[in-house]
Amino acid sequence: MSFLRLSGLRIDLGEFSLNGVSLDLEKGEYLGVIGPTGAGKTILLECIIGFYRPQSGRVWLEGTDITDLAPEKRRIGIVYQDYALLPHLNVFKNIAYGLRKAKIGREALEAKVRAMAEVLGIDRLLHRSPETLSGGEQQRTALARALVVEPRLLLMDEPLSALDAQTRAETRGLLREVVRGRGATVIHITHDLDDVWALADRVAVMRGGEVIQHGGLDQVFSRPASRFVADFVDTVFFEGTVQSCGQGLSAVSVNGLTLETLDQAVVGSRVRLALRPETVVVSRARPAGVSARNLIAARVEDIVPNGKTSQLILRSGETRFPALVTQGSLEDMEIQKDAEVFALVKAGCLRIVRENGLSR
Amino acid sequence: MRVGVFKGSLIFLSLLVTGLLILAVGSLFLVPEWAEVWADLSSPEMLFSLRLSISTACISASMVMVVAVPMGFALSRFRFWGQGLVRTVVDLPVAFPELVLGLCLLLLFGKNGFGDFLDSLGLSLVFSKQGVVAAQFFTALPYAVRIMKSTFDYINPRMEFVSRSLGYTLFETFLRVSLPLAKNGVLAALVISFARCLGTFGTVLILAGGSYMHTETLPITLYLNISYGNMGMALTSGILLVAVSFLAIFIFEKTETSI
């Protein structure tokens, strides 16, 4: 049995519900959970930790059924978006809160708190009241409080979403170093795909109280099981007809464009091709001697800046598709709206998604 | 211009009503002869009434808090069968006339099965000092439960969730997280309950009776003396009621700001 097993969790809290969630997570894995607001992500965490008891379904941790176990006996840690620090205790006492219950002796307790605070860079703030801390410092304190008791499983509910962009990037780095570095088993709810890319081994997409797709990052991002998932993870679909299949390549005709993919398909069948914007390479001049199988002449229809990157909306004939380029590349290549460019896509980056997997 | 007139009318109305209230309370202090007030203060009846009022209000308010804090927590945090009924029934006395509440309590604790049962335990609540406490308790309880429920509603339950995830039971979490964070609400509920207990008239009159020097609290003293035409004693008991209430609010304000 896997380290964490959720089987058929159902609960109806009126506004939020779970409608039969099943998931498996191995020890040391980091699962990112994404989905729109109201998808049931937080309720899922709160069922795992035991704040809500599912109306049906079971939660297994390390081979033991913990569905009916009180939260205080589960040894599962949680970090919330709003930190949930105890305002009547200072930073030291907040971090030490769980250790005091463990009754480990004063010196050991102090040593553990100080060591954890040092790792998270908040060792100078131990005497401070939580309300005097910045958002990033509060989140580090909440993380320290959860980690210092060495939980079997760590749950994080949008831990970075209340932080500004720079602090978010810093804290994400810290999570990678501290949480991933310790080999902790984690479920991390997020709205930010960058969190998933940077931290997670696996990803689960939730909607309407159900996990509609889960698996490795490549599996979910490159082969979304539904249009909803595709939209949510910024994957683009092209519809086309398979023209040929052989020698490890399939050629698919999409609105007059012929695109080659490594995936096999029946000649003449209608398929959908999934493409991720960050896999598209853009060039001003026609590139020669490149290995990419798909070379598409396109016009830049729009440029959407997004922090350090920009999304180019490219059009080739009737086909529109996005490409992600850095701000630096955009300036180096002097690409502006209506510029003529070439888009390169490797055959391995175009994935065939079966027609029957694309219901909304 | 119309906005100005509207705004001006609202402010005028607020000031007018406040002024009337100040005049009404002020007249309590301006009308009586102060020498007479001092004499009345040391009368055996007034001393008895003051002592009984303070002691019963202290006991009742403490009992109210012992019940209101857990009830407020339960109503705020748990979903249980009959929750709506509990909330409605507990709130009812807020809208009930005190006299009707007193009558209901008289019927419950009077000479019937339940009243006889309490009597057999040595707890006679009708026309007795214990009855004063019971009347004050049931009058003040709804206010305290409401304050405690809103106080706990205002506390982020995730703090309690985190505490439980760190190994503390629900009861330990209540003691270490919920209660310390609710201290201002507890204090507010205590002061309001005390003031409410002290000022309870109708319920006390019906359940405990307005017996001279027996179940005579300050509001009863005021009522009895008005009935006899003894304005001096009535005014003195009114002044005492206002003074004790002000003192309670003052202590509350001081304690709240120092927390």
Side-chain angles (χ1 to χ4, degrees):
Chain A
M1 184 181 274
S2 50
F3 179 75
L4 174 73
R5 168 161 292 175
L6 311 179
S7 75
L9 293 188
R10 282 180 192 280
I11 186 169
D12 187 358
L13 296 175
E15 206 175 336
F16 302 105
S17 63
L18 295 179
N19 302 312
V21 171
S22 297
L23 264 180
D24 281 283
L25 198 63
E26 294 303 333
K27 191 170 172 61
E29 277 187 332
Y30 197 117
L31 174 72
V33 180
I34 54 177
T37 304
K41 305 185 296 292
T42 301
I43 292 299
L44 175 67
L45 292 196
E46 291 179 342
C47 277
I48 295 172
I49 204 165
F51 300 148
Y52 294 107
R53 194 179 176 285
Q55 284 150 354
S56 67
R58 312 303 293 174
V59 181
W60 300 78
L61 186 63
E62 292 186 297
T64 309
D65 184 348
I66 60 165
T67 319
D68 300 319
L69 199 64
E72 59 268 22
K73 292 181 178 160
R74 298 190 182 198
R75 284 190 53 220
I76 299 176
I78 191 159
V79 175
Y80 280 111
Q81 171 190 359
D82 58 4
Y83 326 120
L85 295 174
L86 304 175
H88 58 300
L89 304 179
N90 65 17
V91 171
F92 182 94
K93 286 179 178 169
N94 261 284
I95 300 174
Y97 187 79
L99 290 174
R100 284 192 199 285
K101 180 67 181 172
K103 293 177 181 153
I104 59 165
R106 194 174 166 163
E107 280 179 16
L109 178 143
E110 198 162 325
K112 279 194 168 209
V113 171
R114 290 193 186 284
M116 182 53 71
E118 202 170 326
V119 168
L120 287 160
I122 48 172
D123 46 326
R124 290 181 181 177
L125 309 173
L126 291 173
H127 63 285
R128 297 259 296 269
S129 165
E131 61 215 24
T132 66
L133 305 180
S134 68
E137 290 164 346
Q138 289 192 53
Q139 195 53 282
R140 286 168 187 228
T141 306
L143 192 59
R145 179 178 63 181
L147 286 174
V148 78
V149 293
E150 296 171 15
R152 295 192 288 176
L153 173 67
L154 180 63
L155 310 177
M156 295 197 282
D157 187 5
E158 299 188 38
L160 309 180
S161 61
L163 307 176
D164 62 73
Q166 183 167 352
T167 313
R168 189 160 60 234
E170 284 169 15
T171 313
R172 192 183 290 131
L174 200 68
L175 281 179
R176 193 164 43 227
E177 185 185 319
V178 179
V179 179
R180 294 238 51 173
R182 285 166 182 256
T185 313
V186 179
I187 300 181
H188 177 156
I189 289 176
T190 181
H191 275 117
D192 190 342
L193 294 182
D194 286 348
D195 292 344
V196 179
W197 283 117
L199 297 163
D201 306 305
R202 294 162 63 78
V203 62
V205 185
M206 287 190 73
R207 185 195 193 191
E210 292 175 46
V211 172
I212 51 177
Q213 188 175 3
H214 74 281
L217 298 193
D218 186 55
Q219 190 185 345
V220 174
F221 282 86
S222 300
R223 291 178 189 265
S226 68
R227 185 169 293 282
F228 173 80
V229 176
D231 289 346
F232 205 82
V233 301
D234 292 337
T235 296
V236 184
F237 278 141
F238 301 110
E239 286 187 36
T241 308
V242 181
Q243 286 182 322
S244 66
C245 181
Q247 297 179 329
L249 284 172
S250 300
V252 181
S253 171
V254 178
N255 290 331
L257 273 178
T258 300
L259 299 173
E260 289 187 327
T261 167
L262 289 181
D263 292 339
Q264 303 295 296
V266 178
V267 175
S269 64
R270 292 284 293 170
V271 291
R272 280 184 171 136
L273 289 171
L275 173 70
R276 297 220 32 96
E278 64 273 10
T279 61
V280 178
V281 176
V282 176
S283 166
R284 282 306 299 265
R286 175 181 280 274
V290 290
S291 64
R293 299 289 303 185
N294 300 294
L295 178 61
I296 307 163
R299 183 174 59 83
V300 178
E301 201 171 78
D302 202 0
I303 301 173
V304 184
N306 180 21
K308 290 175 183 170
T309 59
S310 279
Q311 192 172 54
L312 305 184
I313 308 297
L314 305 178
R315 178 178 282 277
S316 178
E318 293 300 306
T319 308
R320 285 173 92 233
F321 58 98
L324 211 59
V325 295
T326 61
Q327 215 57 46
S329 300
L330 199 66
E331 286 163 15
D332 290 348
M333 291 191 289
E334 297 175 350
I335 293 178
Q336 290 173 340
K337 208 172 160 187
D338 292 326
E340 298 294 333
V341 296
F342 291 91
L344 288 96
V345 182
K346 295 180 78 167
C349 295
L350 271 171
R351 314 301 291 265
I352 288 182
V353 182
R354 302 293 159 199
E355 193 75 45
N356 59 6
L358 289 172
S359 56
R360 257 192 191 272
Chain B
M1 187 63 192
R2 286 175 65 191
V3 172
V5 170
F6 178 64
K7 184 178 167 185
S9 310
L10 296 186
I11 293 172
F12 174 72
L13 184 70
S14 309
L15 291 175
L16 180 72
V17 173
T18 309
L20 281 174
L21 274 172
I22 291 173
L23 264 180
V25 177
S27 57
L28 191 65
F29 292 87
L30 294 174
V31 170
E33 296 287 329
W34 282 97
E36 201 181 333
V37 170
W38 287 122
D40 289 339
L41 268 178
S42 53
S43 73
E45 183 188 357
M46 192 59 73
L47 287 175
F48 175 87
S49 177
L50 182 61
R51 207 176 299 131
L52 183 67
S53 289
I54 300 278
S55 57
T56 52
C58 284
I59 295 168
S60 312
S62 309
M63 285 169 58
V64 163
M65 292 313 295
V66 167
V67 176
V69 172
M71 274 188 83
F73 188 70
L75 287 171
S76 169
R77 288 292 184 264
F78 309 134
R79 300 287 163 264
F80 54 90
W81 184 87
Q83 185 178 26
L85 183 73
V86 171
R87 197 178 299 173
T88 308
V89 171
V90 168
D91 273 352
L92 261 183
V94 174
F96 253 43
E98 279 192 20
L99 289 169
V100 180
L101 177 63
L103 188 62
C104 296
L105 294 175
L106 183 65
L107 293 174
L108 176 68
F109 298 132
K111 288 289 171 197
N112 58 35
F114 188 59
D116 291 340
F117 169 72
L118 290 179
D119 259 353
S120 69
L121 297 175
L123 202 61
S124 173
L125 298 183
V126 177
F127 305 132
S128 66
K129 291 188 177 65
Q130 292 100 310
V132 174
V133 172
Q136 292 175 339
F137 173 83
F138 284 105
T139 309
L141 183 69
Y143 298 91
V145 172
R146 279 183 158 215
I147 294 171
M148 288 320 303
K149 181 184 176 300
S150 345
T151 302
F152 287 121
D153 282 345
Y154 193 67
I155 295 170
N156 182 356
R158 287 178 173 177
M159 293 181 195
E160 293 157 5
F161 288 173
V162 167
S163 168
R164 300 218 43 205
S165 77
L166 291 167
Y168 292 85
T169 63
L170 182 60
F171 180 60
E172 289 168 332
T173 296
F174 174 73
L175 292 181
R176 286 171 176 269
V177 178
S178 322
L179 212 47
L181 294 179
K183 63 187 171 190
N184 285 350
V186 171
L187 192 65
L190 182 64
V191 171
I192 297 293
S193 301
F194 180 78
R196 202 70 199 82
C197 290
L198 198 72
T200 302
F201 169 66
T203 329
V204 172
L205 183 71
I206 300 291
L207 183 65
S211 308
Y212 174 74
M213 299 275 280
H214 176 55
T215 55
E216 187 181 347
T217 56
L218 284 172
I220 302 283
T221 305
L222 195 155
Y223 168 72
L224 289 177
N225 282 284
I226 282 272
S227 313
Y228 308 151
N230 187 354
M231 276 302 281
M233 281 289 279
L235 285 171
T236 307
S237 48
I239 289 169
L240 273 178
L241 276 170
V242 172
V244 176
S245 302
F246 267 119
L247 190 67
I249 300 288
F250 178 74
I251 293 171
F252 167 60
E253 296 277 342
K254 277 283 167 197
T255 322
E256 194 188 29
T257 48
S258 67
I259 286 173

